[in-house]
Amino acid sequence: MLKPIRTVATAALLTIATFAMAAGLRGDHPDTYVVKKGDTLWDIAGTFLQKPWLWPEIWQANPQVENPHLIYPGDVLSLAYLNRVTAQPGPRQLAPVTGVPLSQIEPFLKDLRVVDEIDSLPHVVGLEEDRLRSAKGQVVYIKGLPGAVAGQRYAVVRPTQRYARLDRTMCCDIFDAADLDNRGRRTIDFERHWTNVVVPDHGSEILGYELMQQATGTVTRGEVGGIEATTMVLDDSGREVRIGDRLIPVAAQPYDLQFFPHPPRQQFEYGRARVLAVADMLRTGGPRDVVALSVGARDGVDNGTVFSGWRVGSEVVDRMSTGSGWDRSEDSFGRANRVRLPDEFAGHLMVFRTFDKVSYALVMEGIRPIQVGHELKHPDAPY
């Protein structure tokens, strides 16, 4: 009788030990943790785990918790049997914690979105008193809303970026993040919101058009009496509106506020998942900077997906193997004399908003800047 019992006990201990190693528990993790206002789920996961994206492997809410996916300030988290974190509900008087600091990503949740095309969207065709710009309380005239009636509300948006996947090279895809003017045409603008990827413009697939919200307005008069323009009054103090700006219906909170960090569902073919652009920066970003990625919902990416960002390894000439030519340009050497260097790890990113072919992510941590063109890999990729 003792041998089977001993075997079962040994197997159980091995299971627990294996799970602990797999989950990567921190050696200094607390047994209990009281959630505080201002905490994020990434920070909480990092309190218990060396790899915060493994949180789903150890999270198991107490059955008494009404919504097991939400964690509130005042909840007591305990590292329980089998190294799983359970929650005892607190007072629940404050909003639940989020995956990342909302203050860092709020503009990208409220003011930015990505759509597949823009040519069919209604557009601003004229402004009150033939102005060049319009603001809150002023009238704008819209072309392309033949069925609009008084009281309907629309957001005025402006195309700012066109994301495209260009022709495939020998190793990977090439991407383009082109700045657009208010008509949605390519332009050169040194005060752009995102960086620009400098590549030849012979694209084969449009990943999406980024729209920035300028203002909202309410329709006061439709196309009546032979008038081919809808009248709308701007009703908020957003950005100035110009002729050529587009319109989309006002949506009630079309984004998530709660998401759990987790690894991607699949490993992408090398070169498919890249950093497209960095917000408000020249070409690089660090912790708490927002970046645009070349993969989205159609690729299985959802909010909370964590990637590691890697600088693509350079291809250098092995001049020692040539025996000569130390003063020659690298362009004069063939592939036989070239060596591909390993990719270099930069940091971890977590997706917080997902569109069909593009997503936004926040840089969570890193050892070097995240740059346009960086390769996206599984967060556990060795480095």
Side-chain angles (χ1 to χ4, degrees):
M1 289 295 294
L2 291 178
K3 185 174 181 181
I5 294 174
R6 186 180 298 113
T7 300
V8 171
T10 302
L13 289 173
L14 287 174
T15 300
I16 295 173
T18 302
F19 188 90
M21 285 191 295
L25 289 171
R26 291 174 57 103
D28 59 349
H29 67 79
D31 293 329
T32 61
Y33 179 80
V34 180
V35 180
K36 304 183 297 296
K37 181 180 179 180
D39 279 347
T40 67
L41 190 53
W42 180 274
D43 297 331
I44 294 173
T47 300
F48 292 95
L49 297 170
Q50 298 175 18
K51 303 174 180 179
W53 54 90
L54 295 180
W55 180 257
E57 294 188 20
I58 71 168
W59 169 248
Q60 181 177 337
N62 190 294
Q64 298 175 357
V65 176
E66 183 177 352
N67 189 332
H69 298 293
L70 301 184
I71 300 174
Y72 291 78
D75 287 357
V76 180
L77 307 183
S78 301
L79 190 62
Y81 180 65
L82 283 180
N83 291 324
R84 289 194 176 274
V85 173
T86 61
Q88 294 291 341
R92 302 299 174 95
Q93 297 174 345
L94 300 173
V97 302
T98 58
V100 296
L102 288 183
S103 60
Q104 303 289 333
I105 64 173
E106 188 174 22
F108 301 89
L109 294 174
K110 293 184 176 181
D111 296 338
L112 291 174
R113 68 205 74 196
V114 177
V115 298
D116 291 336
E117 60 88 23
I118 58 175
D119 290 338
S120 65
L121 295 179
H123 62 275
V124 177
V125 71
L127 306 176
E128 178 181 348
E129 297 180 349
D130 295 333
R131 299 171 186 266
L132 296 178
R133 304 284 190 274
S134 286
K136 181 179 179 180
Q138 296 176 343
V139 170
V140 297
Y141 302 103
I142 312 301
K143 180 70 173 178
L145 286 177
V149 296
Q152 289 182 328
R153 300 191 70 244
Y154 289 88
V156 181
V157 295
R158 182 172 301 161
T160 54
Q161 289 278 309
R162 189 203 69 176
Y163 297 122
R165 186 190 309 277
L166 302 185
D167 289 346
R168 187 173 178 81
T169 66
M170 295 183 63
C171 68
C172 57
D173 295 333
I174 300 177
F175 298 96
D176 176 32
D179 292 298
L180 304 176
D181 62 16
N182 63 307
R183 301 168 300 165
R185 304 293 185 263
R186 290 171 61 91
T187 184
I188 298 176
D189 183 358
F190 295 102
E191 295 182 356
R192 53 186 177 245
H193 183 70
W194 293 92
T195 73
N196 188 37
V197 183
V198 181
V199 291
D201 185 12
H202 49 286
S204 57
E205 181 188 13
I206 301 300
L207 298 181
Y209 293 87
E210 181 185 82
L211 304 177
M212 176 178 289
Q213 182 166 314
Q214 306 297 306
T216 58
T218 302
V219 173
T220 58
R221 182 175 56 185
E223 297 181 5
V224 296
I227 302 300
E228 298 179 358
T230 298
T231 303
M232 189 175 76
V233 176
L234 301 178
D235 56 19
D236 73 2
S237 54
R239 302 173 181 87
E240 289 184 327
V241 172
R242 299 186 296 186
I243 292 175
D245 287 342
R246 313 301 174 100
L247 269 74
I248 58 175
V250 171
Q253 193 170 322
Y255 48 81
D256 293 332
L257 293 177
Q258 312 297 334
F259 37 86
F260 279 42
H262 59 272
R265 298 175 182 174
Q266 61 175 322
Q267 179 65 47
F268 294 106
E269 178 185 3
Y270 190 88
R272 179 175 179 82
R274 291 284 178 95
V275 175
L276 279 174
V278 180
D280 293 327
M281 298 292 287
L282 190 60
R283 286 189 62 86
T284 64
R288 300 304 185 261
D289 282 327
V290 174
V291 296
L293 311 181
S294 66
V295 287
R298 72 168 183 177
D299 307 294
V301 175
D302 58 354
N303 290 345
T305 300
V306 178
F307 291 103
S308 56
W310 296 70
R311 179 185 181 275
V312 176
S314 302
E315 191 176 73
V316 300
V317 173
D318 181 8
R319 295 181 182 272
M320 294 292 291
S321 67
T322 66
S324 62
W326 287 86
D327 57 345
R328 289 170 54 189
S329 168
E330 288 197 1
D331 295 336
S332 65
F333 290 92
R335 296 192 61 84
N337 301 117
R338 296 179 180 274
V339 177
R340 168 68 189 276
L341 302 183
D343 293 349
E344 299 170 346
F345 171 75
H348 289 110
L349 315 86
M350 183 162 69
V351 173
F352 64 84
R353 195 169 188 197
T354 309
F355 304 95
D356 186 34
K357 304 171 188 176
V358 175
S359 55
Y360 294 150
L362 189 69
V363 180
M364 305 305 298
E365 60 188 16
I367 61 174
R368 56 173 58 91
I370 294 290
Q371 297 182 341
V372 170
H374 273 193
E375 180 76 15
L376 301 175
K377 301 181 182 181
H378 192 284
D380 286 333
Y383 56 89

